[in-house]
Amino acid sequence: GESTLSPAYVPFIQHAKTLGIDVGNATNAWEWGPEKVDAILAHMTWIRFTVAAGTAESYAKIMYKGPEHTHVFDKAMKNIKYAVDLKKKLNLPVTLGIQMVLMPDLKDEIIAFAQLGLDLGVDYAVIKHCSDDEQGTLGIDYSQYESLHELLEQAEAMSNEQTKIIVKWNKIKDGD
C-alpha cells in the first residue's frame, strides 16, 4: 500500500530519525503534500517517487484509472517539485529521485521521462525494465528491449549536474 496514507507515517519517520535510523521511502506522491513534506523531509535519507511515464496521459493510464485522469499526475508532480524546492532552500542532504518501470510499449515515454526528471530537478531519474511473473501475466516480450537501447542512451546523455538519468542496463540487457 501507499505508506504516506498511514496515520503513523509522519510520527514514525520523526521518531526513527531520533533513534539514528536512516529512513527511505518509495511513494507515488499523490498524498504527499506540503504538510507532510515539511514534517519529514529533514528526517529522510532518500525518497523515490514512482513516476511510470513522462507524460500526464500515459502516467494516468498506468497509475490511475485512465488517460483522462491527468489530475493525479499534476498533483504528484506539484508535490515532488515542492520537495525539491524545499530541499534546496534548506540545503537538506536527502536524495530525491523518480523511477520509471519501462515496458517495451512505453518507448515513447523514455525521453519525456528523462526530461521530466530534469524539469523537476530531482537528483536522479532511473529507468528499469519491468519484471513479469513466472506465468508471464503481463506478457512482457523481453526481446523488444534491445530495440530501445538507442533511446535509453539518448536519455542517459541528457544528464546534467543536478539530475543524473540512470538506465538499469544489467536488467534491460539480461532479459527476464
Side-chain angles (χ1 to χ4, degrees), residues 5-173:
L5 297 176
S6 170
Y9 179 75
V10 170
F12 169 81
I13 290 169
Q14 292 171 336
H15 182 66
K17 183 67 173 185
T18 66
L19 297 175
I21 299 171
D22 286 339
V23 181
N25 186 210
T27 177
N28 61 30
W30 297 350
E31 300 302 327
W32 202 71
E35 186 175 299
K36 286 181 185 171
V37 176
D38 290 344
I40 61 103
L41 197 63
H43 303 284
M44 301 296 293
T45 302
W46 60 266
I47 303 164
R48 185 187 66 235
F49 304 99
T50 301
V51 179
T55 62
E57 294 77 16
S58 292
Y59 176 95
K61 182 180 175 185
I62 296 164
M63 297 286 291
Y64 203 61
K65 298 177 182 176
E68 68 279 8
H69 295 281
T70 59
H71 65 280
V72 293
F73 176 86
D74 297 336
K75 184 177 182 181
M77 296 313 109
K78 181 179 175 183
N79 290 339
I80 294 168
K81 185 65 176 152
Y82 180 84
V84 169
D85 291 345
L86 185 62
K87 171 190 171 165
K88 289 177 185 175
K89 178 182 173 185
L90 301 178
N91 195 29
L92 298 173
V94 60
T95 300
L96 302 176
I98 60 174
Q99 172 180 274
M100 176 185 189
V101 178
L102 177 63
M103 295 176 71
D105 63 329
L106 295 174
K107 69 179 181 180
D108 294 337
E109 296 296 316
I110 293 170
I111 300 301
F113 173 80
Q115 186 60 55
L116 179 63
L118 298 172
D119 293 345
L120 290 169
V122 292
D123 298 303
Y124 69 88
V126 67
I127 303 169
K128 65 181 195 175
H129 89 307
C130 183
S131 295
D132 208 342
D133 61 22
E134 292 175 357
Q135 291 76 37
T137 305
L138 297 175
I140 305 295
D141 179 356
Y142 291 99
S143 68
Q144 290 184 19
Y145 281 106
E146 189 171 339
S147 69
L148 306 178
H149 288 194
E150 186 176 320
L151 282 172
L152 293 167
E153 289 168 353
Q154 288 175 14
E156 279 186 321
M158 295 170 68
S159 294
N160 63 27
E161 285 186 29
Q162 171 64 44
T163 304
K164 180 149 177 76
I165 310 301
I166 302 165
V167 175
K168 294 287 191 164
W169 286 108
N170 59 333
K171 293 291 187 179
I172 288 174
K173 288 181 177 180

